[in-house]
Structures are given as structure tokens and as C-alpha cells.
Short mmCIF file of all heavy atoms in Angstrom, two decimals:
data_model
loop_
_atom_site.label_atom_id
_atom_site.label_comp_id
_atom_site.label_asym_id
_atom_site.label_seq_id
_atom_site.Cartn_x
_atom_site.Cartn_y
_atom_site.Cartn_z
N MET A 1 -7.72 -19.13 -54.22
CA MET A 1 -8.99 -18.67 -54.80
C MET A 1 -9.82 -19.86 -55.30
O MET A 1 -9.28 -20.81 -55.84
CB MET A 1 -8.68 -17.71 -55.96
CG MET A 1 -9.91 -17.16 -56.66
SD MET A 1 -9.45 -16.01 -57.99
CE MET A 1 -10.92 -16.10 -59.03
N ARG A 2 -11.11 -19.76 -55.07
CA ARG A 2 -12.05 -20.80 -55.53
C ARG A 2 -12.97 -20.22 -56.60
O ARG A 2 -13.27 -19.04 -56.58
CB ARG A 2 -12.90 -21.30 -54.35
CG ARG A 2 -12.12 -22.16 -53.37
CD ARG A 2 -12.23 -23.61 -53.76
NE ARG A 2 -11.09 -24.38 -53.23
CZ ARG A 2 -10.86 -25.65 -53.53
NH1 ARG A 2 -11.65 -26.28 -54.37
NH2 ARG A 2 -9.82 -26.28 -53.04
N CYS A 3 -13.43 -21.06 -57.49
CA CYS A 3 -14.32 -20.63 -58.56
C CYS A 3 -15.64 -20.12 -57.98
O CYS A 3 -16.26 -20.80 -57.15
CB CYS A 3 -14.58 -21.80 -59.51
SG CYS A 3 -15.76 -21.42 -60.81
N ALA A 4 -16.08 -18.94 -58.43
CA ALA A 4 -17.33 -18.35 -57.95
C ALA A 4 -18.54 -19.09 -58.51
O ALA A 4 -19.64 -19.01 -57.97
CB ALA A 4 -17.40 -16.88 -58.32
N VAL A 5 -18.34 -19.82 -59.60
CA VAL A 5 -19.46 -20.53 -60.25
C VAL A 5 -19.70 -21.89 -59.59
O VAL A 5 -20.82 -22.23 -59.22
CB VAL A 5 -19.19 -20.71 -61.76
CG1 VAL A 5 -20.31 -21.52 -62.42
CG2 VAL A 5 -19.05 -19.35 -62.44
N CYS A 6 -18.61 -22.69 -59.46
CA CYS A 6 -18.81 -24.07 -59.00
C CYS A 6 -18.00 -24.43 -57.75
O CYS A 6 -18.15 -25.53 -57.23
CB CYS A 6 -18.47 -25.05 -60.13
SG CYS A 6 -16.69 -25.21 -60.42
N GLY A 7 -17.14 -23.52 -57.28
CA GLY A 7 -16.37 -23.80 -56.08
C GLY A 7 -15.11 -24.61 -56.33
O GLY A 7 -14.41 -25.00 -55.40
N GLY A 8 -14.82 -24.91 -57.60
CA GLY A 8 -13.64 -25.69 -57.97
C GLY A 8 -12.35 -24.91 -57.76
O GLY A 8 -12.37 -23.70 -57.52
N ALA A 9 -11.22 -25.61 -57.87
CA ALA A 9 -9.92 -24.97 -57.73
C ALA A 9 -9.55 -24.24 -59.01
O ALA A 9 -9.81 -24.72 -60.11
CB ALA A 9 -8.87 -26.03 -57.43
N VAL A 10 -8.98 -23.02 -58.87
CA VAL A 10 -8.54 -22.28 -60.05
C VAL A 10 -7.02 -22.25 -60.09
O VAL A 10 -6.36 -22.31 -59.05
CB VAL A 10 -9.10 -20.85 -60.09
CG1 VAL A 10 -10.62 -20.85 -60.17
CG2 VAL A 10 -8.63 -20.04 -58.90
N ARG A 11 -6.47 -22.20 -61.29
CA ARG A 11 -5.03 -22.19 -61.49
C ARG A 11 -4.67 -21.17 -62.55
O ARG A 11 -5.36 -21.05 -63.57
CB ARG A 11 -4.58 -23.59 -61.94
CG ARG A 11 -3.12 -23.87 -61.67
CD ARG A 11 -2.79 -25.31 -61.94
NE ARG A 11 -2.86 -25.58 -63.37
CZ ARG A 11 -2.90 -26.79 -63.92
NH1 ARG A 11 -2.90 -27.86 -63.17
NH2 ARG A 11 -2.95 -26.95 -65.22
N LEU A 12 -3.58 -20.43 -62.32
CA LEU A 12 -3.12 -19.43 -63.28
C LEU A 12 -2.52 -20.14 -64.49
O LEU A 12 -1.65 -21.00 -64.34
CB LEU A 12 -2.07 -18.53 -62.62
CG LEU A 12 -1.66 -17.28 -63.39
CD1 LEU A 12 -2.84 -16.33 -63.56
CD2 LEU A 12 -0.52 -16.58 -62.68
N GLN A 13 -3.01 -19.83 -65.67
CA GLN A 13 -2.44 -20.44 -66.88
C GLN A 13 -2.58 -19.52 -68.09
O GLN A 13 -3.27 -18.51 -68.03
CB GLN A 13 -3.07 -21.81 -67.14
CG GLN A 13 -4.57 -21.87 -67.17
CD GLN A 13 -5.09 -23.32 -67.17
OE1 GLN A 13 -5.09 -24.02 -66.16
NE2 GLN A 13 -5.55 -23.75 -68.32
N ASN A 14 -1.88 -19.87 -69.16
CA ASN A 14 -1.98 -19.12 -70.41
C ASN A 14 -3.23 -19.57 -71.15
O ASN A 14 -3.46 -20.77 -71.29
CB ASN A 14 -0.75 -19.38 -71.29
CG ASN A 14 0.52 -18.86 -70.64
OD1 ASN A 14 0.54 -17.77 -70.10
ND2 ASN A 14 1.56 -19.65 -70.69
N VAL A 15 -4.01 -18.60 -71.61
CA VAL A 15 -5.21 -18.94 -72.38
C VAL A 15 -5.28 -18.05 -73.62
O VAL A 15 -4.63 -17.02 -73.70
CB VAL A 15 -6.51 -18.74 -71.56
CG1 VAL A 15 -6.53 -19.66 -70.35
CG2 VAL A 15 -6.69 -17.30 -71.12
N GLN A 16 -6.08 -18.48 -74.57
CA GLN A 16 -6.37 -17.66 -75.73
C GLN A 16 -7.76 -17.08 -75.54
O GLN A 16 -8.74 -17.82 -75.55
CB GLN A 16 -6.34 -18.52 -77.00
CG GLN A 16 -4.94 -18.92 -77.39
CD GLN A 16 -4.61 -18.45 -78.79
OE1 GLN A 16 -5.27 -18.80 -79.74
NE2 GLN A 16 -3.57 -17.66 -78.91
N GLU A 17 -7.83 -15.78 -75.31
CA GLU A 17 -9.13 -15.13 -75.14
C GLU A 17 -9.56 -14.61 -76.51
O GLU A 17 -8.76 -14.17 -77.32
CB GLU A 17 -9.01 -13.99 -74.13
CG GLU A 17 -10.30 -13.28 -73.83
CD GLU A 17 -11.39 -14.14 -73.18
OE1 GLU A 17 -11.12 -15.30 -72.81
OE2 GLU A 17 -12.52 -13.66 -73.04
N GLU A 18 -10.86 -14.70 -76.76
CA GLU A 18 -11.39 -14.32 -78.06
C GLU A 18 -12.08 -12.96 -77.97
O GLU A 18 -12.99 -12.78 -77.16
CB GLU A 18 -12.39 -15.40 -78.49
CG GLU A 18 -12.89 -15.26 -79.89
CD GLU A 18 -13.77 -16.43 -80.29
OE1 GLU A 18 -14.40 -17.04 -79.40
OE2 GLU A 18 -13.83 -16.75 -81.47
N LEU A 19 -11.63 -12.03 -78.81
CA LEU A 19 -12.32 -10.74 -78.93
C LEU A 19 -13.13 -10.80 -80.21
O LEU A 19 -12.59 -11.13 -81.27
CB LEU A 19 -11.31 -9.58 -79.03
CG LEU A 19 -10.38 -9.36 -77.84
CD1 LEU A 19 -9.41 -8.22 -78.16
CD2 LEU A 19 -11.18 -9.02 -76.59
N ILE A 20 -14.42 -10.50 -80.13
CA ILE A 20 -15.26 -10.52 -81.33
C ILE A 20 -15.61 -9.09 -81.69
O ILE A 20 -16.19 -8.35 -80.89
CB ILE A 20 -16.53 -11.36 -81.09
CG1 ILE A 20 -16.13 -12.80 -80.75
CG2 ILE A 20 -17.42 -11.33 -82.34
CD1 ILE A 20 -17.29 -13.68 -80.33
N ILE A 21 -15.18 -8.70 -82.89
CA ILE A 21 -15.41 -7.34 -83.37
C ILE A 21 -16.12 -7.45 -84.71
O ILE A 21 -15.53 -7.90 -85.69
CB ILE A 21 -14.08 -6.57 -83.48
CG1 ILE A 21 -13.44 -6.47 -82.08
CG2 ILE A 21 -14.32 -5.18 -84.08
CD1 ILE A 21 -12.04 -5.95 -82.06
N GLY A 22 -17.40 -7.08 -84.73
CA GLY A 22 -18.20 -7.31 -85.94
C GLY A 22 -18.30 -8.81 -86.15
O GLY A 22 -18.67 -9.54 -85.25
N SER A 23 -17.92 -9.27 -87.35
CA SER A 23 -17.94 -10.71 -87.61
C SER A 23 -16.52 -11.29 -87.55
O SER A 23 -16.29 -12.44 -87.93
CB SER A 23 -18.59 -11.01 -88.96
OG SER A 23 -17.94 -10.29 -89.98
N ASP A 24 -15.56 -10.48 -87.08
CA ASP A 24 -14.17 -10.95 -86.97
C ASP A 24 -13.86 -11.40 -85.55
O ASP A 24 -14.35 -10.82 -84.58
CB ASP A 24 -13.19 -9.83 -87.36
CG ASP A 24 -13.35 -9.42 -88.81
OD1 ASP A 24 -13.69 -10.29 -89.65
OD2 ASP A 24 -13.15 -8.23 -89.11
N HIS A 25 -13.04 -12.44 -85.45
CA HIS A 25 -12.64 -12.98 -84.15
C HIS A 25 -11.13 -12.80 -84.00
O HIS A 25 -10.37 -13.20 -84.88
CB HIS A 25 -12.97 -14.47 -84.05
CG HIS A 25 -14.45 -14.75 -84.10
ND1 HIS A 25 -15.09 -15.50 -83.15
CD2 HIS A 25 -15.39 -14.36 -84.98
CE1 HIS A 25 -16.38 -15.55 -83.45
NE2 HIS A 25 -16.58 -14.88 -84.55
N TYR A 26 -10.71 -12.22 -82.89
CA TYR A 26 -9.29 -12.01 -82.63
C TYR A 26 -8.89 -12.83 -81.42
O TYR A 26 -9.52 -12.73 -80.36
CB TYR A 26 -9.02 -10.52 -82.36
CG TYR A 26 -9.22 -9.65 -83.58
CD1 TYR A 26 -10.49 -9.21 -83.94
CD2 TYR A 26 -8.14 -9.27 -84.36
CE1 TYR A 26 -10.68 -8.42 -85.06
CE2 TYR A 26 -8.32 -8.47 -85.50
CZ TYR A 26 -9.60 -8.06 -85.84
OH TYR A 26 -9.77 -7.28 -86.95
N MET A 27 -7.86 -13.68 -81.60
CA MET A 27 -7.40 -14.52 -80.50
C MET A 27 -6.22 -13.82 -79.83
O MET A 27 -5.25 -13.45 -80.48
CB MET A 27 -6.96 -15.89 -81.02
CG MET A 27 -8.03 -16.62 -81.83
SD MET A 27 -9.62 -16.78 -80.98
CE MET A 27 -9.16 -17.92 -79.68
N VAL A 28 -6.32 -13.62 -78.52
CA VAL A 28 -5.29 -12.91 -77.77
C VAL A 28 -4.77 -13.82 -76.66
O VAL A 28 -5.56 -14.35 -75.88
CB VAL A 28 -5.86 -11.62 -77.14
CG1 VAL A 28 -4.76 -10.82 -76.47
CG2 VAL A 28 -6.58 -10.77 -78.18
N SER A 29 -3.45 -14.01 -76.59
CA SER A 29 -2.86 -14.83 -75.53
C SER A 29 -2.70 -14.00 -74.27
O SER A 29 -2.05 -12.96 -74.30
CB SER A 29 -1.49 -15.36 -75.98
OG SER A 29 -1.65 -16.20 -77.08
N VAL A 30 -3.33 -14.44 -73.20
CA VAL A 30 -3.22 -13.74 -71.91
C VAL A 30 -3.13 -14.77 -70.78
O VAL A 30 -3.37 -15.96 -70.99
CB VAL A 30 -4.44 -12.82 -71.64
CG1 VAL A 30 -4.46 -11.63 -72.58
CG2 VAL A 30 -5.75 -13.59 -71.72
N ARG A 31 -2.79 -14.28 -69.58
CA ARG A 31 -2.79 -15.13 -68.39
C ARG A 31 -4.15 -14.98 -67.71
O ARG A 31 -4.69 -13.88 -67.64
CB ARG A 31 -1.69 -14.69 -67.42
CG ARG A 31 -0.31 -14.73 -68.01
CD ARG A 31 0.32 -16.09 -67.93
NE ARG A 31 0.84 -16.36 -66.59
CZ ARG A 31 1.25 -17.57 -66.21
NH1 ARG A 31 1.19 -18.59 -67.05
NH2 ARG A 31 1.72 -17.76 -65.00
N ALA A 32 -4.68 -16.06 -67.26
CA ALA A 32 -5.96 -16.01 -66.54
C ALA A 32 -5.98 -17.11 -65.50
O ALA A 32 -5.29 -18.11 -65.62
CB ALA A 32 -7.12 -16.19 -67.51
N GLU A 33 -6.78 -16.91 -64.46
CA GLU A 33 -7.01 -17.97 -63.50
C GLU A 33 -8.18 -18.78 -64.05
O GLU A 33 -9.25 -18.23 -64.34
CB GLU A 33 -7.34 -17.38 -62.13
CG GLU A 33 -6.19 -16.54 -61.60
CD GLU A 33 -6.04 -16.65 -60.11
OE1 GLU A 33 -5.62 -17.71 -59.64
OE2 GLU A 33 -6.36 -15.67 -59.43
N VAL A 34 -7.96 -20.07 -64.25
CA VAL A 34 -8.95 -20.92 -64.89
C VAL A 34 -9.43 -21.99 -63.92
O VAL A 34 -8.62 -22.68 -63.29
CB VAL A 34 -8.36 -21.59 -66.15
CG1 VAL A 34 -9.41 -22.44 -66.85
CG2 VAL A 34 -7.78 -20.55 -67.11
N CYS A 35 -10.75 -22.12 -63.82
CA CYS A 35 -11.32 -23.16 -62.96
C CYS A 35 -11.02 -24.52 -63.58
O CYS A 35 -11.30 -24.75 -64.76
CB CYS A 35 -12.83 -22.97 -62.81
SG CYS A 35 -13.59 -24.33 -61.87
N GLN A 36 -10.45 -25.42 -62.78
CA GLN A 36 -10.09 -26.74 -63.28
C GLN A 36 -11.30 -27.66 -63.39
O GLN A 36 -11.22 -28.72 -64.00
CB GLN A 36 -9.03 -27.37 -62.36
CG GLN A 36 -7.78 -26.51 -62.18
CD GLN A 36 -7.08 -26.21 -63.52
OE1 GLN A 36 -6.64 -27.12 -64.20
NE2 GLN A 36 -7.00 -24.94 -63.88
N SER A 37 -12.44 -27.24 -62.85
CA SER A 37 -13.65 -28.06 -62.93
C SER A 37 -14.56 -27.63 -64.08
O SER A 37 -14.94 -28.44 -64.91
CB SER A 37 -14.45 -27.99 -61.63
OG SER A 37 -13.68 -28.49 -60.56
N CYS A 38 -14.89 -26.33 -64.13
CA CYS A 38 -15.88 -25.89 -65.13
C CYS A 38 -15.29 -25.02 -66.23
O CYS A 38 -15.97 -24.70 -67.20
CB CYS A 38 -17.05 -25.15 -64.46
SG CYS A 38 -16.66 -23.47 -63.91
N GLY A 39 -14.02 -24.60 -66.10
CA GLY A 39 -13.39 -23.83 -67.17
C GLY A 39 -13.62 -22.34 -67.12
O GLY A 39 -13.15 -21.60 -67.98
N GLU A 40 -14.37 -21.86 -66.12
CA GLU A 40 -14.60 -20.42 -65.98
C GLU A 40 -13.26 -19.69 -65.87
O GLU A 40 -12.33 -20.19 -65.23
CB GLU A 40 -15.46 -20.16 -64.72
CG GLU A 40 -15.83 -18.72 -64.48
CD GLU A 40 -16.86 -18.18 -65.47
OE1 GLU A 40 -17.42 -18.95 -66.25
OE2 GLU A 40 -17.10 -16.96 -65.43
N ARG A 41 -13.16 -18.54 -66.53
CA ARG A 41 -11.91 -17.78 -66.52
C ARG A 41 -12.05 -16.51 -65.69
O ARG A 41 -13.07 -15.84 -65.75
CB ARG A 41 -11.53 -17.38 -67.95
CG ARG A 41 -11.19 -18.57 -68.81
CD ARG A 41 -10.98 -18.14 -70.24
NE ARG A 41 -10.51 -19.27 -71.02
CZ ARG A 41 -10.10 -19.18 -72.28
NH1 ARG A 41 -10.11 -18.01 -72.91
NH2 ARG A 41 -9.67 -20.25 -72.93
N TYR A 42 -10.99 -16.20 -64.94
CA TYR A 42 -10.95 -14.98 -64.13
C TYR A 42 -9.72 -14.18 -64.53
O TYR A 42 -8.61 -14.69 -64.48
CB TYR A 42 -10.91 -15.32 -62.64
CG TYR A 42 -12.12 -16.11 -62.20
CD1 TYR A 42 -12.11 -17.49 -62.23
CD2 TYR A 42 -13.28 -15.45 -61.80
CE1 TYR A 42 -13.25 -18.22 -61.87
CE2 TYR A 42 -14.41 -16.17 -61.43
CZ TYR A 42 -14.39 -17.54 -61.46
OH TYR A 42 -15.50 -18.26 -61.11
N PHE A 43 -9.96 -12.93 -64.95
CA PHE A 43 -8.87 -12.07 -65.39
C PHE A 43 -8.56 -11.02 -64.33
O PHE A 43 -9.47 -10.52 -63.66
CB PHE A 43 -9.25 -11.35 -66.69
CG PHE A 43 -9.55 -12.30 -67.82
CD1 PHE A 43 -10.86 -12.58 -68.18
CD2 PHE A 43 -8.53 -12.93 -68.51
CE1 PHE A 43 -11.14 -13.47 -69.21
CE2 PHE A 43 -8.80 -13.81 -69.54
CZ PHE A 43 -10.11 -14.08 -69.89
N SER A 44 -7.29 -10.67 -64.23
CA SER A 44 -6.91 -9.58 -63.32
C SER A 44 -7.42 -8.27 -63.91
O SER A 44 -7.74 -8.19 -65.10
CB SER A 44 -5.39 -9.52 -63.18
OG SER A 44 -4.81 -9.14 -64.42
N GLU A 45 -7.49 -7.23 -63.08
CA GLU A 45 -7.92 -5.91 -63.56
C GLU A 45 -7.00 -5.44 -64.68
O GLU A 45 -7.43 -4.84 -65.65
CB GLU A 45 -7.89 -4.89 -62.42
CG GLU A 45 -9.11 -4.98 -61.52
CD GLU A 45 -9.11 -3.88 -60.46
OE1 GLU A 45 -8.59 -2.79 -60.74
OE2 GLU A 45 -9.62 -4.14 -59.36
N ARG A 46 -5.71 -5.73 -64.52
CA ARG A 46 -4.72 -5.31 -65.51
C ARG A 46 -4.96 -6.00 -66.85
O ARG A 46 -4.92 -5.36 -67.91
CB ARG A 46 -3.33 -5.67 -64.97
CG ARG A 46 -2.21 -4.99 -65.70
CD ARG A 46 -0.91 -5.29 -64.99
NE ARG A 46 0.19 -5.18 -65.94
CZ ARG A 46 1.44 -5.45 -65.65
NH1 ARG A 46 1.78 -5.85 -64.45
NH2 ARG A 46 2.37 -5.32 -66.56
N THR A 47 -5.23 -7.29 -66.81
CA THR A 47 -5.49 -8.03 -68.05
C THR A 47 -6.79 -7.57 -68.69
O THR A 47 -6.87 -7.40 -69.91
CB THR A 47 -5.54 -9.55 -67.77
OG1 THR A 47 -4.28 -9.96 -67.25
CG2 THR A 47 -5.84 -10.33 -69.03
N THR A 48 -7.82 -7.33 -67.87
CA THR A 48 -9.09 -6.84 -68.40
C THR A 48 -8.89 -5.49 -69.10
O THR A 48 -9.40 -5.27 -70.20
CB THR A 48 -10.13 -6.68 -67.25
OG1 THR A 48 -10.27 -7.96 -66.61
CG2 THR A 48 -11.48 -6.24 -67.78
N ALA A 49 -8.11 -4.60 -68.47
CA ALA A 49 -7.84 -3.29 -69.05
C ALA A 49 -7.08 -3.45 -70.38
O ALA A 49 -7.37 -2.76 -71.36
CB ALA A 49 -7.03 -2.43 -68.08
N LYS A 50 -6.13 -4.40 -70.41
CA LYS A 50 -5.35 -4.65 -71.62
C LYS A 50 -6.26 -5.13 -72.76
O LYS A 50 -6.13 -4.70 -73.90
CB LYS A 50 -4.27 -5.70 -71.31
CG LYS A 50 -3.39 -6.04 -72.48
CD LYS A 50 -2.43 -7.18 -72.12
CE LYS A 50 -1.90 -7.86 -73.38
NZ LYS A 50 -1.10 -9.05 -73.07
N LEU A 51 -7.21 -6.02 -72.43
CA LEU A 51 -8.13 -6.54 -73.45
C LEU A 51 -9.03 -5.43 -74.00
O LEU A 51 -9.28 -5.37 -75.20
CB LEU A 51 -8.98 -7.68 -72.86
CG LEU A 51 -8.22 -9.00 -72.63
CD1 LEU A 51 -9.06 -9.96 -71.81
CD2 LEU A 51 -7.82 -9.65 -73.96
N VAL A 52 -9.47 -4.53 -73.12
CA VAL A 52 -10.31 -3.41 -73.56
C VAL A 52 -9.51 -2.49 -74.48
O VAL A 52 -9.98 -2.06 -75.54
CB VAL A 52 -10.87 -2.63 -72.34
CG1 VAL A 52 -11.53 -1.32 -72.78
CG2 VAL A 52 -11.86 -3.49 -71.57
N GLN A 53 -8.25 -2.21 -74.08
CA GLN A 53 -7.38 -1.35 -74.91
C GLN A 53 -7.14 -1.97 -76.28
O GLN A 53 -7.16 -1.29 -77.30
CB GLN A 53 -6.04 -1.13 -74.21
CG GLN A 53 -6.11 -0.14 -73.06
CD GLN A 53 -4.80 -0.07 -72.27
OE1 GLN A 53 -3.83 -0.72 -72.64
NE2 GLN A 53 -4.80 0.70 -71.21
N LEU A 54 -6.89 -3.29 -76.28
CA LEU A 54 -6.65 -4.00 -77.54
C LEU A 54 -7.87 -3.92 -78.45
O LEU A 54 -7.76 -3.67 -79.65
CB LEU A 54 -6.34 -5.47 -77.26
CG LEU A 54 -4.88 -5.88 -77.21
CD1 LEU A 54 -4.77 -7.34 -76.80
CD2 LEU A 54 -4.22 -5.67 -78.56
N GLN A 55 -9.04 -4.14 -77.85
CA GLN A 55 -10.29 -4.10 -78.63
C GLN A 55 -10.47 -2.73 -79.27
O GLN A 55 -10.81 -2.63 -80.45
CB GLN A 55 -11.48 -4.43 -77.72
CG GLN A 55 -12.81 -4.42 -78.47
CD GLN A 55 -13.79 -5.43 -77.92
OE1 GLN A 55 -13.54 -6.09 -76.93
NE2 GLN A 55 -14.92 -5.56 -78.57
N GLU A 56 -10.20 -1.66 -78.50
CA GLU A 56 -10.32 -0.30 -79.04
C GLU A 56 -9.31 -0.06 -80.15
O GLU A 56 -9.63 0.53 -81.18
CB GLU A 56 -10.10 0.72 -77.91
CG GLU A 56 -11.28 0.78 -76.95
CD GLU A 56 -11.00 1.63 -75.71
OE1 GLU A 56 -9.86 2.12 -75.54
OE2 GLU A 56 -11.93 1.78 -74.90
N ALA A 57 -8.08 -0.54 -79.95
CA ALA A 57 -7.01 -0.35 -80.96
C ALA A 57 -7.37 -1.06 -82.26
O ALA A 57 -7.12 -0.53 -83.35
CB ALA A 57 -5.68 -0.86 -80.41
N ILE A 58 -7.96 -2.24 -82.15
CA ILE A 58 -8.36 -2.99 -83.35
C ILE A 58 -9.50 -2.26 -84.06
O ILE A 58 -9.49 -2.08 -85.27
CB ILE A 58 -8.77 -4.44 -82.99
CG1 ILE A 58 -7.56 -5.23 -82.48
CG2 ILE A 58 -9.39 -5.14 -84.19
CD1 ILE A 58 -7.89 -6.54 -81.77
N GLN A 59 -10.49 -1.80 -83.27
CA GLN A 59 -11.64 -1.09 -83.85
C GLN A 59 -11.20 0.18 -84.56
O GLN A 59 -11.78 0.58 -85.56
CB GLN A 59 -12.66 -0.75 -82.75
CG GLN A 59 -13.48 -1.95 -82.32
CD GLN A 59 -14.32 -1.70 -81.08
OE1 GLN A 59 -13.95 -0.91 -80.22
NE2 GLN A 59 -15.43 -2.39 -80.97
N GLN A 60 -10.16 0.84 -84.03
CA GLN A 60 -9.67 2.09 -84.62
C GLN A 60 -8.64 1.85 -85.72
O GLN A 60 -8.11 2.79 -86.29
CB GLN A 60 -9.07 2.97 -83.52
CG GLN A 60 -10.12 3.47 -82.53
CD GLN A 60 -9.51 4.02 -81.24
OE1 GLN A 60 -8.29 4.10 -81.11
NE2 GLN A 60 -10.35 4.38 -80.30
N GLY A 61 -8.32 0.58 -85.98
CA GLY A 61 -7.38 0.25 -87.06
C GLY A 61 -5.93 0.45 -86.69
O GLY A 61 -5.06 0.42 -87.56
N ARG A 62 -5.63 0.65 -85.40
CA ARG A 62 -4.25 0.86 -84.97
C ARG A 62 -3.49 -0.45 -84.86
O ARG A 62 -2.26 -0.47 -84.90
CB ARG A 62 -4.21 1.62 -83.64
CG ARG A 62 -4.60 3.08 -83.78
CD ARG A 62 -4.42 3.86 -82.49
NE ARG A 62 -5.49 3.63 -81.54
CZ ARG A 62 -5.32 3.08 -80.33
NH1 ARG A 62 -4.13 2.74 -79.93
NH2 ARG A 62 -6.35 2.92 -79.54
N ILE A 63 -4.21 -1.55 -84.66
CA ILE A 63 -3.59 -2.87 -84.58
C ILE A 63 -4.32 -3.80 -85.55
O ILE A 63 -5.54 -3.79 -85.62
CB ILE A 63 -3.68 -3.44 -83.15
CG1 ILE A 63 -2.78 -2.66 -82.20
CG2 ILE A 63 -3.30 -4.93 -83.13
CD1 ILE A 63 -2.83 -3.16 -80.76
N LYS A 64 -3.52 -4.55 -86.30
CA LYS A 64 -4.11 -5.53 -87.20
C LYS A 64 -3.59 -6.90 -86.79
O LYS A 64 -2.46 -7.04 -86.35
CB LYS A 64 -3.71 -5.24 -88.64
CG LYS A 64 -4.25 -3.89 -89.15
CD LYS A 64 -4.31 -3.86 -90.64
CE LYS A 64 -4.67 -2.49 -91.19
NZ LYS A 64 -5.86 -1.89 -90.59
N GLY A 65 -4.43 -7.92 -86.95
CA GLY A 65 -4.01 -9.27 -86.59
C GLY A 65 -3.50 -10.03 -87.80
O GLY A 65 -3.62 -9.58 -88.93
N GLU A 66 -2.89 -11.18 -87.50
CA GLU A 66 -2.47 -12.13 -88.54
C GLU A 66 -3.65 -13.06 -88.80
O GLU A 66 -4.27 -13.54 -87.85
CB GLU A 66 -1.30 -12.98 -88.05
CG GLU A 66 0.01 -12.22 -87.91
CD GLU A 66 0.70 -12.03 -89.24
OE1 GLU A 66 0.73 -13.00 -90.03
OE2 GLU A 66 1.16 -10.92 -89.51
N VAL A 67 -3.90 -13.35 -90.06
CA VAL A 67 -4.97 -14.30 -90.39
C VAL A 67 -4.48 -15.72 -90.07
O VAL A 67 -3.42 -16.13 -90.52
CB VAL A 67 -5.35 -14.22 -91.88
CG1 VAL A 67 -6.40 -15.28 -92.22
CG2 VAL A 67 -5.88 -12.83 -92.22
N ILE A 68 -5.24 -16.45 -89.22
CA ILE A 68 -4.83 -17.80 -88.85
C ILE A 68 -5.87 -18.84 -89.27
O ILE A 68 -5.66 -20.03 -89.09
CB ILE A 68 -4.58 -17.92 -87.33
CG1 ILE A 68 -5.81 -17.52 -86.53
CG2 ILE A 68 -3.35 -17.10 -86.92
CD1 ILE A 68 -5.69 -17.83 -85.05
N GLY A 69 -6.99 -18.40 -89.81
CA GLY A 69 -8.01 -19.37 -90.22
C GLY A 69 -9.23 -18.64 -90.71
O GLY A 69 -9.23 -17.41 -90.81
N ARG A 70 -10.25 -19.38 -91.03
CA ARG A 70 -11.48 -18.76 -91.50
C ARG A 70 -12.64 -19.28 -90.68
O ARG A 70 -12.59 -20.37 -90.14
CB ARG A 70 -11.71 -19.11 -92.98
CG ARG A 70 -10.68 -18.48 -93.89
CD ARG A 70 -10.93 -18.88 -95.31
NE ARG A 70 -9.94 -18.28 -96.20
CZ ARG A 70 -9.88 -18.50 -97.49
NH1 ARG A 70 -10.74 -19.31 -98.07
NH2 ARG A 70 -8.95 -17.92 -98.23
N VAL A 71 -13.69 -18.50 -90.63
CA VAL A 71 -14.90 -18.91 -89.94
C VAL A 71 -15.97 -19.16 -91.00
O VAL A 71 -16.19 -18.32 -91.87
CB VAL A 71 -15.38 -17.81 -88.96
CG1 VAL A 71 -16.66 -18.22 -88.27
CG2 VAL A 71 -14.29 -17.50 -87.94
N TYR A 72 -16.58 -20.32 -90.94
CA TYR A 72 -17.61 -20.67 -91.93
C TYR A 72 -18.95 -20.86 -91.23
O TYR A 72 -19.02 -21.39 -90.13
CB TYR A 72 -17.25 -22.00 -92.63
CG TYR A 72 -15.98 -21.92 -93.45
CD1 TYR A 72 -14.76 -22.29 -92.88
CD2 TYR A 72 -16.02 -21.50 -94.77
CE1 TYR A 72 -13.60 -22.22 -93.62
CE2 TYR A 72 -14.86 -21.43 -95.51
CZ TYR A 72 -13.64 -21.80 -94.93
OH TYR A 72 -12.50 -21.72 -95.68
N GLU A 73 -19.98 -20.44 -91.94
CA GLU A 73 -21.33 -20.74 -91.48
C GLU A 73 -21.87 -21.83 -92.40
O GLU A 73 -21.74 -21.72 -93.61
CB GLU A 73 -22.20 -19.49 -91.55
CG GLU A 73 -23.61 -19.71 -91.05
CD GLU A 73 -24.43 -18.44 -91.10
OE1 GLU A 73 -24.63 -17.91 -92.20
OE2 GLU A 73 -24.86 -17.98 -90.04
N VAL A 74 -22.43 -22.87 -91.82
CA VAL A 74 -22.94 -23.99 -92.63
C VAL A 74 -24.43 -24.13 -92.43
O VAL A 74 -24.92 -24.19 -91.31
CB VAL A 74 -22.23 -25.31 -92.21
CG1 VAL A 74 -22.74 -26.46 -93.05
CG2 VAL A 74 -20.73 -25.17 -92.33
N ALA A 75 -25.15 -24.16 -93.56
CA ALA A 75 -26.59 -24.36 -93.47
C ALA A 75 -26.87 -25.82 -93.13
O ALA A 75 -26.23 -26.72 -93.66
CB ALA A 75 -27.23 -24.02 -94.82
N LYS A 76 -27.84 -26.06 -92.23
CA LYS A 76 -28.14 -27.45 -91.84
C LYS A 76 -29.09 -28.10 -92.82
O LYS A 76 -29.89 -27.44 -93.42
CB LYS A 76 -28.77 -27.46 -90.43
CG LYS A 76 -27.74 -27.24 -89.36
CD LYS A 76 -28.40 -27.29 -87.99
CE LYS A 76 -27.39 -26.91 -86.91
NZ LYS A 76 -28.01 -26.71 -85.62
ZN1 ZN B 1 -15.79 -23.58 -61.75
#
């Protein structure tokens, strides 16, 4: 498979995908095909479905994450 954006080679690897719900960010470890040139990520249908299910579960309060850091906004 070649990257649809830049034509680069893609490789299956572990990535941390970010789900943003309101002002909260949830990091989820999944497998994705990643372009080695531009970094574009390609998810399988199964992984995409899993991410959607996770997002719904978090929104409904069925799954809670571990706090791993904070997000700050800084005025310039
Ligand atoms: Zn690419």
C-alpha cells in the first residue's frame, strides 16, 4: 500500500490516536498503517469501529481514562 496523500511507503505500527471529547483528550493505543514520509495514518475498518465505540463509551461514562498529564492554554 502507498500513501494516498504523498505516495510514500506505509508501514503497520503501534500509534497513539487522540480522541477529543469536549476539552478532554484521550490517548488510545492502536495499530495503524503510517506513511513513512508524511506521517498520514490509515486505520482498518475494525480499528475505526473500535475508536468510534470507545468514543461513545467515554461520552456515556462507561469508560474512564487514567490521568497522564494536563493541557494548558498559554496567553501570548
Ligand atoms: Zn504520505
Side-chain angles (χ1 to χ4, degrees):
M1 180 178 156
R2 288 269 156 187
C3 176
V5 176
C6 74
V10 298
R11 202 172 69 195
L12 190 63
Q13 52 191 76
N14 295 317
V15 298
Q16 287 238 301
E17 182 63 8
E18 188 175 28
L19 297 177
I20 300 173
I21 298 171
S23 55
D24 296 327
H25 295 233
Y26 292 82
M27 305 307 292
V28 185
S29 296
V30 291
R31 301 276 281 169
E33 299 216 71
V34 182
C35 175
Q36 304 301 299
S37 298
C38 75
E40 182 71 9
R41 294 174 173 187
Y42 299 91
F43 300 102
S44 66
E45 280 184 31
R46 195 173 154 184
T47 299
T48 303
K50 180 185 160 186
L51 287 169
V52 170
Q53 284 173 4
L54 263 175
Q55 180 147 5
E56 287 171 356
I58 293 166
Q59 283 170 330
Q60 293 165 4
R62 289 186 281 118
I63 291 179
K64 296 202 187 309
E66 290 281 317
V67 176
I68 57 171
R70 293 179 180 177
V71 178
Y72 296 93
E73 182 178 62
V74 180
K76 284 181 187 170

